[in-house]
Amino acid sequence: QKYGYYHCKACNIRWESAYVWCVQGTNKVYFRQFCRACQKAYNPYRVEDITCQSCKQTRCTCPVKMRHVDPKRPHRQDLCGRCKGKRLSCDSTFSFKYII
């Protein structure tokens, strides 16, 4: 699971997501995400590891894990290529919260 930056060229909308699913050990994206305005599917233009803001590591031992994602923000299942149309969403089956 990685962090991605998206840009819809049709609507000129930009968004970010902590639910980018890649082939293990690479930045090759498995699932696209959909623009909330026009519903076109896109791959991220940039992908990076989800890192701790304190130590800048992906797997850290910091007592308080400050990630560059908001764990309280709801996952938009209707815009996610991995879980769109399915009963369970990405955030309930696997989450960045379990990356230690």
Side-chain angles (χ1 to χ4, degrees), residues 36-91:
R36 64 179 162 80
C38 69
Q39 295 295 308
K40 288 185 180 177
Y42 289 96
N43 278 328
Y45 64 86
R46 191 170 103 211
V47 175
E48 61 187 40
D49 291 329
I50 296 174
T51 58
C52 175
Q53 287 180 327
S54 302
C55 68
K56 305 298 183 210
Q57 300 295 314
T58 54
R59 299 169 200 265
C60 69
T61 56
C62 296
V64 177
K65 295 191 181 354
M66 291 179 56
R67 304 272 184 200
H68 65 201
V69 293
D70 181 2
K72 294 184 180 84
R73 189 172 182 175
H75 178 53
R76 290 288 306 267
Q77 190 174 352
D78 60 320
L79 301 176
C80 176
R82 183 177 187 217
C83 60
K84 187 174 187 168
K86 296 195 172 97
R87 231 174 71 219
L88 289 176
S89 71
C90 293
D91 60 347

Side-chain angles (χ1 to χ4, degrees), residues 3-17 20 32-47:
Y3 195 83
Y5 298 84
Y6 293 83
H7 178 221
C8 175
K9 292 179 174 82
C11 303
N12 203 27
I13 291 175
R14 293 180 184 271
W15 72 94
E16 299 175 13
S17 175
V20 178
R32 294 180 174 196
Q33 288 193 8
F34 296 86
C35 172
R36 64 179 162 80
C38 69
Q39 295 295 308
K40 288 185 180 177
Y42 289 96
N43 278 328
Y45 64 86
R46 191 170 103 211
V47 175

